[in-house]
Amino acid sequence: MELKASIRHCFAVIYRRISNMDLPDFIVNGFVPISVNHISICLKARDEGYRSEDEIMSFYSSQLHYCLKSRRHELAYIRAMCDRILTFVSPDSLIESRIARVLIREVLASNVVLPGIDTIDNPDFVNNMLLLYFDDDPPAPAPGPPSPLVTLLERFSSREATSRSLLHVDLERILHTQDMLYQFMNFLKTRSAVHYLQFYLTVEDFHRRCLSQEQDDVQLKKLHCEAKDIFETYCHPDASSFIHFEPSIIQELQDIAEGPWQEVTRLRTSTPLYRAFDHVYNMLENVYCPLFYEDDTYYQMMCGDRVPTASKNPYPSASSLNKANKKKFSRKFRPSRTDTEDGLGKADMFLDTTSLESDEFDKASLLDDDAMICDDKFPNPNSSLSMWRLSIPSIKRKQTTDPSSSDIYLFCIEVVDLQRDGDGVEKWQVYRHHNEFYSLENKLTEFHGSLSPISLPPKKFFSKNLEYLDSRRPEFEKFLKGLITSSSLHKSELLYDFLMPQRAGAVSRFNSRSGMAKVKLGNFIRRVPNKLIKEKGRHIDAFLQSFVTSCEAGKPRSGKNGDNLKDSEVIMDQKLHNDMYSCDGDWLWSSEKNKDTNADDDPVFPPTPPKTALQGIFDCITLLCVRLFRIDRWLLQLLVILRILFRRTIEPFVSRHLKNKIEVYKQEHHLVRLIHLFRDVIFFDNDPPRTEALKLERKAEALRELKAFIPEQFAYLIGKDQHERSCQEFIDILQYPKLNKHLGYILLDALLFKLFPEVDEG
């Protein structure tokens, strides 16, 4: 049920964003200008003597897309892209589960996006797309009326459950039960939809008093003021709690609210307020009630709290450990002594496992002593660190007890918990040494991998005075702020421990100078079970790859070498292999000026938004005429004049033409064909590869269609020879797979920036 809701949520978000997107405008002002700019750069490189694909790529230099470094860089970029996009389309429950997020990311990156990009960038596929575009035949009409809905998919896309659960309570009972109404209101607050419930309750009370016939003028004036408040709060377009009613409802309510007070009696006989009331009730019943049924709050309300487990809260308060348990715990690790002549026995450390497993032993006593500092006044370790705010306002001098050693300086970290309520601590201070910051960075890197771009400045190993530490204070503050805002560290217990006050006398786990000699053996043994559950998700990528490999069906042994098992790296190399590229490693970076490029740098997503100086179709046509067809100066001046006269006429015509074409291809039979093509390319690409003769034949056919597509009058003006050379040069540029990949990723970035404007805010 949860997986179904998550998948439906993702598709609903993507469909809504695509529906709100102006696709013809993106093609005219995004897709076409970026493509023409790419062709212009390639033509300029060929004019300057760069003929081969690698030479043109070196001409691009730093403007080349990150994915063109190598196949592994490409896969890393796609993973970063999928990670970023999933945060916008996935529900919160899926985002918080790192295992589910990594699994979906790997499936999308290595099995959908990467093969799809390779197929689109194939020169033979590009030639086929050109043939489809130049085809004059109209699209095939629909063979019949739309087919009936598939029962399985219809039920999957519908929010209404086919069989009502016995645990589900109808909306009427929720609204008239105080406890349920309170929980439902808290749930709506998390969905930013509490104004629907407020409107329902307000209008319900207003209806009851409005229908009363025995009212004097004072009461009617009061009702009119309330009606005006309802309109300004929920129906005015500029209101913060605006509800999207039908325009006719808003207009009728506005006429009553802004009219004389006698008009309030119209609400007894007219329908606008009743229709608005029904609209809100249907929203609560059909949209938010099913979501409420799937929320954990509803199940706790109906079935009670979850059964507490030993690992639910690994940080019990100090008051929860009674003296009896402490004594039992001390006896488990107390050495037994054998009597000797001098009365001193030899220590024999032992662990009585039977008594540890008994019911009378408190499992909380196995927890780390350092963790016992947390009590009910401080935030729960399972709370999200994203709601914390911190700063490093000052540095504190601490005197040492040893007269021969110098004083030490500690950074004062002020932490504020924005979601804390009640009697708990909302603000506290933590003092950390300079070296502890670097220990934290090392431990987080060990458990979570690279933290880039979050990093500390290089460490100084010589004397660190107050002036030096004060100069590093802003950088340390920026480092901590970056950690608590990182989505992968919201539940990090290492970061939680670092930002919590330390118990008096406890040894800091972040102090590199505290070695094992200072740790008691009993304390060390007690820490082992707790360490095994901390920082969950370590090395999850390698685990998932090994898990997928272990689940694959065994293949029959074909010979002597059939017993060799393929590890995850070999399988990934096979996925990265592509016959279009001579080398699956670095494509471009073998050139002299790029030898120093770090092959292990992290992908930067989101990249810089693609920009071009071209605006609209007319600018693109003009640039192609100059770069590709090399028109004379007088003809260029004529195009400039025509641009001034007809630009506002031609571009809307092109947009409307594209819109009509898109509407045609949105018909059922065309969408089915596109879905089947995409399915066959990604999952059932078992067709034999096309021969070189077939590819050359398709290329020649695309060249002929391009020549025929150019108007004869324009070909006559530029000359037959120039017409032939320009068309041949245009087709040749599209035969470079790596340049096509560069263009494909730039267009993909532009599409993502259009669909997800929040990406640029990162």
Side-chain angles (χ1 to χ4, degrees):
M1 187 68 181
E2 184 177 357
L3 180 61
K4 170 185 174 181
S6 300
I7 296 176
R8 185 176 59 208
H9 183 276
C10 295
F11 279 102
V13 172
I14 295 175
Y15 176 77
R16 185 180 68 250
R17 289 179 180 263
I18 293 177
S19 301
N20 295 334
M21 176 183 173
D22 191 351
L23 193 55
D25 178 74
F26 170 73
I27 295 175
V28 172
N29 297 311
F31 182 87
V32 175
I34 292 174
S35 303
V36 171
N37 185 65
H38 167 76
I39 294 173
S40 175
I41 295 176
C42 294
L43 291 171
K44 183 179 179 180
R46 290 170 69 95
D47 292 342
E48 296 184 10
Y50 299 89
R51 308 301 297 180
S52 66
E53 183 179 28
D54 291 337
E55 291 175 348
I56 297 177
M57 292 171 66
S58 63
F59 179 80
Y60 257 105
S61 185
S62 61
Q63 298 181 4
L64 204 64
H65 199 276
Y66 175 87
C67 295
L68 270 291
K69 291 184 178 181
S70 70
R71 290 287 284 176
R72 294 192 179 275
H73 282 82
E74 181 183 5
L75 181 59
Y77 181 84
I78 296 175
R79 285 172 173 169
M81 176 187 67
C82 294
D83 256 340
R84 183 69 170 158
I85 299 303
L86 282 175
T87 59
F88 301 127
V89 302
S90 304
D92 295 338
S93 59
L94 187 63
I95 296 176
E96 294 176 357
S97 174
R98 189 181 179 191
I99 295 179
R101 189 174 69 250
V102 172
L103 179 62
I104 294 176
R105 183 198 69 187
E106 289 300 316
V107 172
L108 290 176
S110 59
N111 295 300
V112 178
V113 180
L114 184 63
I117 291 291
D118 289 340
T119 301
I120 294 174
D121 298 334
N122 192 333
D124 191 56
F125 180 85
V126 175
N127 295 332
N128 190 29
M129 292 296 101
L130 290 176
L131 291 177
L132 292 177
Y133 179 77
F134 295 143
D135 190 8
D136 295 333
D137 297 334
S147 57
L149 299 178
V150 179
T151 305
L152 175 64
L153 298 180
E154 182 184 10
R155 293 179 179 178
F156 179 83
S157 61
S158 175
R159 285 193 175 275
E160 298 181 0
T162 54
S163 58
R164 189 177 181 86
S165 173
L166 295 178
L167 293 177
H168 291 179
V169 180
D170 57 6
L171 181 59
E172 284 294 331
R173 183 179 174 186
I174 293 176
L175 295 175
H176 293 89
T177 305
Q178 191 69 24
D179 294 339
M180 293 184 180
L181 180 61
Y182 176 74
Q183 297 292 346
F184 187 49
M185 181 179 64
N186 289 335
F187 166 76
L188 292 177
K189 288 181 180 179
T190 63
R191 300 282 176 165
S192 300
V194 71
H195 57 286
Y196 286 101
L197 181 60
Q198 292 172 344
F199 177 85
Y200 175 86
L201 298 177
T202 303
V203 174
E204 185 181 36
D205 179 67
F206 180 83
H207 268 157
R208 179 178 53 80
R209 291 183 288 108
C210 183
L211 294 177
S212 177
Q213 299 293 333
E214 299 178 356
Q215 291 181 342
D216 54 16
D217 294 346
V218 177
Q219 293 175 332
L220 290 177
K221 290 180 180 179
K222 184 178 179 180
L223 286 176
H224 183 262
C225 293
E226 292 183 11
K228 187 176 181 180
D229 291 340
I230 292 174
F231 172 79
E232 293 177 350
T233 305
Y234 303 104
C235 304
H236 196 280
D238 297 333
S240 59
S241 302
F242 175 68
I243 301 176
H244 294 271
F245 295 116
E246 296 179 6
S248 59
I249 296 177
I250 297 178
Q251 185 60 45
E252 293 184 40
L253 291 178
Q254 184 178 6
D255 295 339
I256 296 174
E258 296 179 354
W261 61 268
Q262 294 86 353
E263 294 291 324
V264 73
T265 56
R266 288 174 50 191
L267 293 175
R268 299 173 181 173
T269 57
S270 58
T271 61
L273 197 58
Y274 293 97
R275 290 157 57 197
F277 184 81
D278 290 341
H279 171 78
V280 171
Y281 186 86
N282 291 332
M283 287 288 295
L284 293 174
E285 184 178 34
N286 300 326
V287 177
Y288 292 105
C289 268
L291 294 175
F292 183 51
Y293 297 150
E294 300 169 3
D295 192 73
D296 191 60
T297 306
Y298 180 80
Y299 287 103
Q300 290 183 2
M301 180 182 68
M302 300 300 296
C303 305
D305 295 335
R306 296 180 181 272
V307 178
T309 58
S311 61
K312 183 177 181 180
N313 186 5
Y315 296 94
S317 60
S319 60
S320 64
L321 298 177
N322 52 42
K323 296 181 179 179
N325 284 333
K326 290 183 178 180
K327 291 180 180 179
K328 293 176 184 179
F329 183 81
S330 62
R331 288 198 297 267
K332 308 307 171 185
F333 295 93
R334 186 170 55 194
S336 64
R337 297 181 180 272
T338 58
D339 296 333
T340 57
E341 294 178 357
D342 55 359
L344 299 177
K346 297 181 180 179
D348 181 19
M349 295 297 298
F350 69 93
L351 179 63
D352 188 2
T353 56
T354 57
S355 58
L356 282 177
E357 294 174 356
S358 62
D359 296 336
E360 63 178 0
F361 184 76
D362 189 355
K363 295 182 180 180
S365 60
L366 284 176
L367 297 176
D368 188 5
D369 283 343
D370 298 341
M372 297 178 186
I373 63 167
C374 301
D375 53 29
D376 297 336
K377 294 184 178 180
F378 286 98
N380 191 290
N382 296 324
S383 61
S384 176
L385 303 183
S386 61
M387 296 302 294
W388 289 13
R389 298 296 180 267
L390 53 84
S391 61
I392 306 180
S394 61
I395 299 177
K396 178 183 178 182
R397 180 197 297 264
K398 182 179 180 181
Q399 295 182 352
T400 58
T401 57
D402 188 0
S404 60
S405 60
S406 59
D407 297 340
I408 61 175
Y409 297 96
L410 300 177
F411 289 87
C412 176
I413 307 173
E414 289 190 356
V415 186
V416 179
D417 186 7
L418 300 181
Q419 61 183 357
R420 190 67 173 171
D421 54 1
D423 299 331
V425 178
E426 297 181 355
K427 183 178 181 180
W428 62 91
Q429 291 182 346
V430 185
Y431 293 94
R432 291 294 178 184
H433 191 267
H434 173 268
N435 295 331
E436 292 184 277
F437 285 86
Y438 292 93
S439 298
L440 172 66
E441 184 182 32
N442 294 334
K443 289 178 181 291
L444 290 177
T445 304
E446 177 186 355
F447 284 108
H448 298 279
S450 175
L451 302 176
S452 180
I454 308 171
S455 63
L456 286 172
K459 187 177 181 180
K460 183 178 179 181
F461 293 95
F462 300 101
S463 61
K464 297 175 279 292
N465 53 25
L466 180 60
E467 291 76 12
Y468 169 77
L469 294 177
D470 190 64
S471 64
R472 292 302 178 107
R473 183 169 52 84
E475 299 181 68
F476 282 16
E477 181 177 327
K478 180 181 179 182
F479 171 73
L480 291 179
K481 289 181 178 179
L483 293 180
I484 64 174
T485 55
S486 176
S487 59
S488 60
L489 299 177
H490 283 175
K491 300 289 185 178
S492 173
E493 297 179 9
L494 281 173
L495 185 57
Y496 174 86
D497 291 346
F498 186 85
L499 297 176
M500 291 299 295
Q502 186 175 346
R503 182 172 61 87
V507 179
S508 173
R509 61 192 294 189
F510 301 100
N511 193 348
S512 59
R513 294 180 296 179
S514 59
M516 284 298 298
K518 298 182 180 180
V519 181
K520 297 180 180 179
L521 182 59
N523 196 20
F524 172 75
I525 296 176
R526 283 183 294 167
R527 293 170 68 97
V528 171
N530 195 30
K531 289 294 181 183
L532 294 179
I533 66 172
K534 286 190 175 182
E535 298 300 322
K536 306 176 185 64
R538 180 183 180 186
H539 307 316
I540 192 66
D541 296 351
F543 165 75
L544 286 177
Q545 293 177 0
S546 302
F547 178 73
V548 172
T549 305
S550 65
C551 295
E552 292 183 350
K555 298 182 180 179
R557 299 181 179 181
S558 56
K560 184 181 298 183
N561 299 326
D563 297 334
N564 297 330
L565 298 177
K566 299 179 180 179
D567 57 8
S568 58
E569 292 293 332
V570 175
I571 295 176
M572 187 56 64
D573 288 339
Q574 291 178 351
K575 289 184 178 181
L576 293 177
H577 177 74
N578 194 302
D579 295 333
M580 288 191 297
Y581 311 106
S582 57
C583 177
D584 290 330
D586 290 340
W587 293 331
L588 170 65
W589 305 108
S590 58
S591 59
E592 290 295 331
K593 64 179 180 179
N594 290 315
K595 277 186 176 180
D596 297 333
T597 302
N598 183 13
D600 297 327
D601 54 340
D602 294 326
V604 179
F605 189 88
T608 304
K611 297 180 181 179
T612 177
L614 302 177
Q615 297 181 355
I617 292 294
F618 220 109
D619 287 357
C620 298
I621 295 175
T622 304
L623 183 60
L624 283 178
C625 290
V626 174
R627 288 285 188 191
L628 181 61
F629 296 102
R630 296 172 174 83
I631 60 177
D632 296 334
R633 186 177 182 84
W634 68 270
L635 190 54
L636 175 60
Q637 293 176 347
L638 178 61
L639 283 177
V640 173
I641 295 174
L642 293 177
R643 180 182 183 275
I644 297 174
L645 296 176
F646 299 105
R647 178 185 176 184
R648 296 183 179 275
T649 303
I650 292 179
E651 293 187 355
F653 171 78
V654 173
S655 299
R656 186 166 60 253
H657 175 72
L658 288 174
K659 184 177 181 180
N660 295 334
K661 285 288 186 181
I662 293 172
E663 291 297 328
V664 171
Y665 282 98
K666 283 170 62 176
Q667 297 179 6
E668 179 186 359
H669 60 292
H670 291 300
L671 286 178
V672 169
R673 181 170 176 269
L674 291 176
I675 292 173
H676 286 176
L677 287 175
F678 183 77
R679 178 203 61 187
D680 296 341
V681 167
I682 300 299
F683 303 105
F684 303 102
D685 191 11
N686 299 323
D687 296 336
R690 289 173 54 83
T691 62
E692 290 297 327
L694 293 175
K695 294 180 180 179
L696 291 176
E697 181 181 353
R698 178 175 286 177
K699 176 184 174 182
E701 186 179 359
L703 178 60
R704 290 194 300 269
E705 293 293 336
L706 175 61
K707 293 178 181 178
F709 181 77
I710 304 298
E712 296 181 0
Q713 296 80 0
F714 182 77
Y716 175 78
L717 291 176
I718 63 176
K720 183 178 180 181
D721 294 339
Q722 181 62 44
H723 176 247
E724 294 280 346
R725 288 194 302 270
S726 300
C727 293
Q728 183 65 51
E729 199 169 16
F730 181 84
I731 294 296
D732 290 342
I733 290 175
L734 298 180
Q735 306 310 306
Y736 298 135
K738 284 176 272 188
L739 288 176
N740 291 345
K741 185 175 289 291
H742 167 74
L743 175 60
Y745 276 107
I746 293 179
L747 293 174
L748 179 61
D749 292 341
L751 178 61
L752 293 180
F753 278 111
K754 189 73 173 179
L755 284 176
F756 304 96
E758 308 94 325
V759 171
D760 197 16
E761 298 176 2

PDB file of all heavy atoms in Angstrom, residues 324-339:
ATOM      1  N   ALA A 324      19.816  -0.603  41.119  1.00  0.00           N
ATOM      2  CA  ALA A 324      19.929  -2.063  41.071  1.00  0.00           C
ATOM      3  C   ALA A 324      20.545  -2.528  39.769  1.00  0.00           C
ATOM      4  O   ALA A 324      21.402  -3.403  39.748  1.00  0.00           O
ATOM      5  CB  ALA A 324      18.548  -2.688  41.270  1.00  0.00           C
ATOM      6  N   ASN A 325      20.100  -1.930  38.647  1.00  0.00           N
ATOM      7  CA  ASN A 325      20.650  -2.308  37.353  1.00  0.00           C
ATOM      8  C   ASN A 325      22.123  -1.961  37.258  1.00  0.00           C
ATOM      9  O   ASN A 325      22.914  -2.663  36.635  1.00  0.00           O
ATOM     10  CB  ASN A 325      19.871  -1.628  36.236  1.00  0.00           C
ATOM     11  CG  ASN A 325      18.537  -2.295  36.004  1.00  0.00           C
ATOM     12  OD1 ASN A 325      18.388  -3.477  36.284  1.00  0.00           O
ATOM     13  ND2 ASN A 325      17.562  -1.530  35.518  1.00  0.00           N
ATOM     14  N   LYS A 326      22.521  -0.818  37.816  1.00  0.00           N
ATOM     15  CA  LYS A 326      23.927  -0.433  37.776  1.00  0.00           C
ATOM     16  C   LYS A 326      24.783  -1.438  38.548  1.00  0.00           C
ATOM     17  O   LYS A 326      25.893  -1.788  38.148  1.00  0.00           O
ATOM     18  CB  LYS A 326      24.098   0.970  38.354  1.00  0.00           C
ATOM     19  CG  LYS A 326      23.507   2.055  37.457  1.00  0.00           C
ATOM     20  CD  LYS A 326      23.763   3.433  38.021  1.00  0.00           C
ATOM     21  CE  LYS A 326      23.212   4.505  37.099  1.00  0.00           C
ATOM     22  NZ  LYS A 326      23.443   5.875  37.627  1.00  0.00           N
ATOM     23  N   LYS A 327      24.256  -1.914  39.699  1.00  0.00           N
ATOM     24  CA  LYS A 327      25.015  -2.893  40.458  1.00  0.00           C
ATOM     25  C   LYS A 327      25.144  -4.206  39.703  1.00  0.00           C
ATOM     26  O   LYS A 327      26.192  -4.835  39.672  1.00  0.00           O
ATOM     27  CB  LYS A 327      24.329  -3.120  41.813  1.00  0.00           C
ATOM     28  CG  LYS A 327      24.409  -1.910  42.744  1.00  0.00           C
ATOM     29  CD  LYS A 327      23.727  -2.195  44.061  1.00  0.00           C
ATOM     30  CE  LYS A 327      23.817  -0.990  44.996  1.00  0.00           C
ATOM     31  NZ  LYS A 327      23.124  -1.240  46.290  1.00  0.00           N
ATOM     32  N   LYS A 328      24.026  -4.612  39.044  1.00  0.00           N
ATOM     33  CA  LYS A 328      24.081  -5.842  38.249  1.00  0.00           C
ATOM     34  C   LYS A 328      25.093  -5.716  37.125  1.00  0.00           C
ATOM     35  O   LYS A 328      25.839  -6.627  36.825  1.00  0.00           O
ATOM     36  CB  LYS A 328      22.698  -6.162  37.681  1.00  0.00           C
ATOM     37  CG  LYS A 328      21.677  -6.541  38.738  1.00  0.00           C
ATOM     38  CD  LYS A 328      20.328  -6.753  38.086  1.00  0.00           C
ATOM     39  CE  LYS A 328      19.258  -7.045  39.120  1.00  0.00           C
ATOM     40  NZ  LYS A 328      17.934  -7.218  38.488  1.00  0.00           N
ATOM     41  N   PHE A 329      25.087  -4.545  36.544  1.00  0.00           N
ATOM     42  CA  PHE A 329      26.000  -4.334  35.418  1.00  0.00           C
ATOM     43  C   PHE A 329      27.455  -4.380  35.882  1.00  0.00           C
ATOM     44  O   PHE A 329      28.328  -4.922  35.213  1.00  0.00           O
ATOM     45  CB  PHE A 329      25.692  -2.994  34.756  1.00  0.00           C
ATOM     46  CG  PHE A 329      26.537  -2.748  33.540  1.00  0.00           C
ATOM     47  CD1 PHE A 329      26.191  -3.327  32.332  1.00  0.00           C
ATOM     48  CD2 PHE A 329      27.667  -1.957  33.606  1.00  0.00           C
ATOM     49  CE1 PHE A 329      26.964  -3.113  31.225  1.00  0.00           C
ATOM     50  CE2 PHE A 329      28.444  -1.751  32.492  1.00  0.00           C
ATOM     51  CZ  PHE A 329      28.096  -2.321  31.297  1.00  0.00           C
ATOM     52  N   SER A 330      27.748  -3.804  37.043  1.00  0.00           N
ATOM     53  CA  SER A 330      29.124  -3.796  37.540  1.00  0.00           C
ATOM     54  C   SER A 330      29.587  -5.209  37.890  1.00  0.00           C
ATOM     55  O   SER A 330      30.755  -5.541  37.741  1.00  0.00           O
ATOM     56  CB  SER A 330      29.229  -2.879  38.758  1.00  0.00           C
ATOM     57  OG  SER A 330      28.408  -3.364  39.812  1.00  0.00           O
ATOM     58  N   ARG A 331      28.644  -6.070  38.333  1.00  0.00           N
ATOM     59  CA  ARG A 331      29.024  -7.434  38.676  1.00  0.00           C
ATOM     60  C   ARG A 331      29.345  -8.265  37.444  1.00  0.00           C
ATOM     61  O   ARG A 331      30.081  -9.220  37.520  1.00  0.00           O
ATOM     62  CB  ARG A 331      27.902  -8.114  39.474  1.00  0.00           C
ATOM     63  CG  ARG A 331      27.766  -7.570  40.890  1.00  0.00           C
ATOM     64  CD  ARG A 331      26.966  -8.562  41.739  1.00  0.00           C
ATOM     65  NE  ARG A 331      25.627  -8.730  41.251  1.00  0.00           N
ATOM     66  CZ  ARG A 331      24.593  -8.021  41.685  1.00  0.00           C
ATOM     67  NH1 ARG A 331      24.771  -7.084  42.600  1.00  0.00           N
ATOM     68  NH2 ARG A 331      23.378  -8.239  41.209  1.00  0.00           N
ATOM     69  N   LYS A 332      28.755  -7.905  36.289  1.00  0.00           N
ATOM     70  CA  LYS A 332      28.985  -8.711  35.095  1.00  0.00           C
ATOM     71  C   LYS A 332      30.434  -8.621  34.630  1.00  0.00           C
ATOM     72  O   LYS A 332      30.961  -9.543  34.041  1.00  0.00           O
ATOM     73  CB  LYS A 332      28.055  -8.259  33.957  1.00  0.00           C
ATOM     74  CG  LYS A 332      26.591  -8.198  34.349  1.00  0.00           C
ATOM     75  CD  LYS A 332      26.103  -9.478  34.941  1.00  0.00           C
ATOM     76  CE  LYS A 332      24.704  -9.301  35.505  1.00  0.00           C
ATOM     77  NZ  LYS A 332      24.257 -10.501  36.199  1.00  0.00           N
ATOM     78  N   PHE A 333      31.066  -7.491  34.889  1.00  0.00           N
ATOM     79  CA  PHE A 333      32.417  -7.284  34.391  1.00  0.00           C
ATOM     80  C   PHE A 333      33.469  -7.258  35.531  1.00  0.00           C
ATOM     81  O   PHE A 333      34.618  -6.893  35.301  1.00  0.00           O
ATOM     82  CB  PHE A 333      32.493  -5.970  33.614  1.00  0.00           C
ATOM     83  CG  PHE A 333      31.675  -5.993  32.380  1.00  0.00           C
ATOM     84  CD1 PHE A 333      30.373  -5.517  32.403  1.00  0.00           C
ATOM     85  CD2 PHE A 333      32.172  -6.501  31.202  1.00  0.00           C
ATOM     86  CE1 PHE A 333      29.612  -5.530  31.259  1.00  0.00           C
ATOM     87  CE2 PHE A 333      31.414  -6.511  30.068  1.00  0.00           C
ATOM     88  CZ  PHE A 333      30.127  -6.029  30.091  1.00  0.00           C
ATOM     89  N   ARG A 334      33.059  -7.593  36.755  1.00  0.00           N
ATOM     90  CA  ARG A 334      34.001  -7.573  37.881  1.00  0.00           C
ATOM     91  C   ARG A 334      34.909  -8.787  37.784  1.00  0.00           C
ATOM     92  O   ARG A 334      34.444  -9.911  37.579  1.00  0.00           O
ATOM     93  CB  ARG A 334      33.229  -7.584  39.192  1.00  0.00           C
ATOM     94  CG  ARG A 334      34.144  -7.414  40.408  1.00  0.00           C
ATOM     95  CD  ARG A 334      33.302  -7.192  41.643  1.00  0.00           C
ATOM     96  NE  ARG A 334      32.340  -8.270  41.811  1.00  0.00           N
ATOM     97  CZ  ARG A 334      31.313  -8.174  42.647  1.00  0.00           C
ATOM     98  NH1 ARG A 334      31.106  -7.068  43.329  1.00  0.00           N
ATOM     99  NH2 ARG A 334      30.479  -9.202  42.763  1.00  0.00           N
ATOM    100  N   PRO A 335      36.223  -8.609  37.932  1.00  0.00           N
ATOM    101  CA  PRO A 335      37.146  -9.748  37.789  1.00  0.00           C
ATOM    102  C   PRO A 335      37.006 -10.721  38.949  1.00  0.00           C
ATOM    103  O   PRO A 335      36.774 -10.320  40.094  1.00  0.00           O
ATOM    104  CB  PRO A 335      38.517  -9.084  37.763  1.00  0.00           C
ATOM    105  CG  PRO A 335      38.327  -7.805  38.508  1.00  0.00           C
ATOM    106  CD  PRO A 335      36.923  -7.374  38.232  1.00  0.00           C
ATOM    107  N   SER A 336      37.120 -11.997  38.655  1.00  0.00           N
ATOM    108  CA  SER A 336      37.155 -13.018  39.702  1.00  0.00           C
ATOM    109  C   SER A 336      38.600 -13.274  40.092  1.00  0.00           C
ATOM    110  O   SER A 336      39.480 -13.302  39.233  1.00  0.00           O
ATOM    111  CB  SER A 336      36.496 -14.311  39.200  1.00  0.00           C
ATOM    112  OG  SER A 336      37.242 -14.828  38.124  1.00  0.00           O
ATOM    113  N   ARG A 337      38.847 -13.456  41.343  1.00  0.00           N
ATOM    114  CA  ARG A 337      40.218 -13.616  41.826  1.00  0.00           C
ATOM    115  C   ARG A 337      40.359 -15.009  42.458  1.00  0.00           C
ATOM    116  O   ARG A 337      39.495 -15.477  43.189  1.00  0.00           O
ATOM    117  CB  ARG A 337      40.573 -12.534  42.840  1.00  0.00           C
ATOM    118  CG  ARG A 337      40.538 -11.136  42.245  1.00  0.00           C
ATOM    119  CD  ARG A 337      40.933 -10.101  43.285  1.00  0.00           C
ATOM    120  NE  ARG A 337      40.909  -8.766  42.712  1.00  0.00           N
ATOM    121  CZ  ARG A 337      41.942  -8.205  42.091  1.00  0.00           C
ATOM    122  NH1 ARG A 337      43.057  -8.889  41.944  1.00  0.00           N
ATOM    123  NH2 ARG A 337      41.854  -6.977  41.615  1.00  0.00           N
ATOM    124  N   THR A 338      41.461 -15.652  42.192  1.00  0.00           N
ATOM    125  CA  THR A 338      41.809 -16.923  42.829  1.00  0.00           C
ATOM    126  C   THR A 338      42.801 -16.647  43.942  1.00  0.00           C
ATOM    127  O   THR A 338      43.731 -15.848  43.774  1.00  0.00           O
ATOM    128  CB  THR A 338      42.411 -17.894  41.804  1.00  0.00           C
ATOM    129  OG1 THR A 338      43.550 -17.256  41.231  1.00  0.00           O
ATOM    130  CG2 THR A 338      41.406 -18.218  40.698  1.00  0.00           C
ATOM    131  N   ASP A 339      42.585 -17.271  45.045  1.00  0.00           N
ATOM    132  CA  ASP A 339      43.436 -17.020  46.211  1.00  0.00           C
ATOM    133  C   ASP A 339      44.852 -17.501  45.955  1.00  0.00           C
ATOM    134  O   ASP A 339      45.095 -18.563  45.377  1.00  0.00           O
ATOM    135  CB  ASP A 339      42.886 -17.728  47.444  1.00  0.00           C
ATOM    136  CG  ASP A 339      41.537 -17.164  47.814  1.00  0.00           C
ATOM    137  OD1 ASP A 339      41.307 -15.977  47.477  1.00  0.00           O
ATOM    138  OD2 ASP A 339      40.744 -17.899  48.437  1.00  0.00           O
TER     139      ASP A 339
END
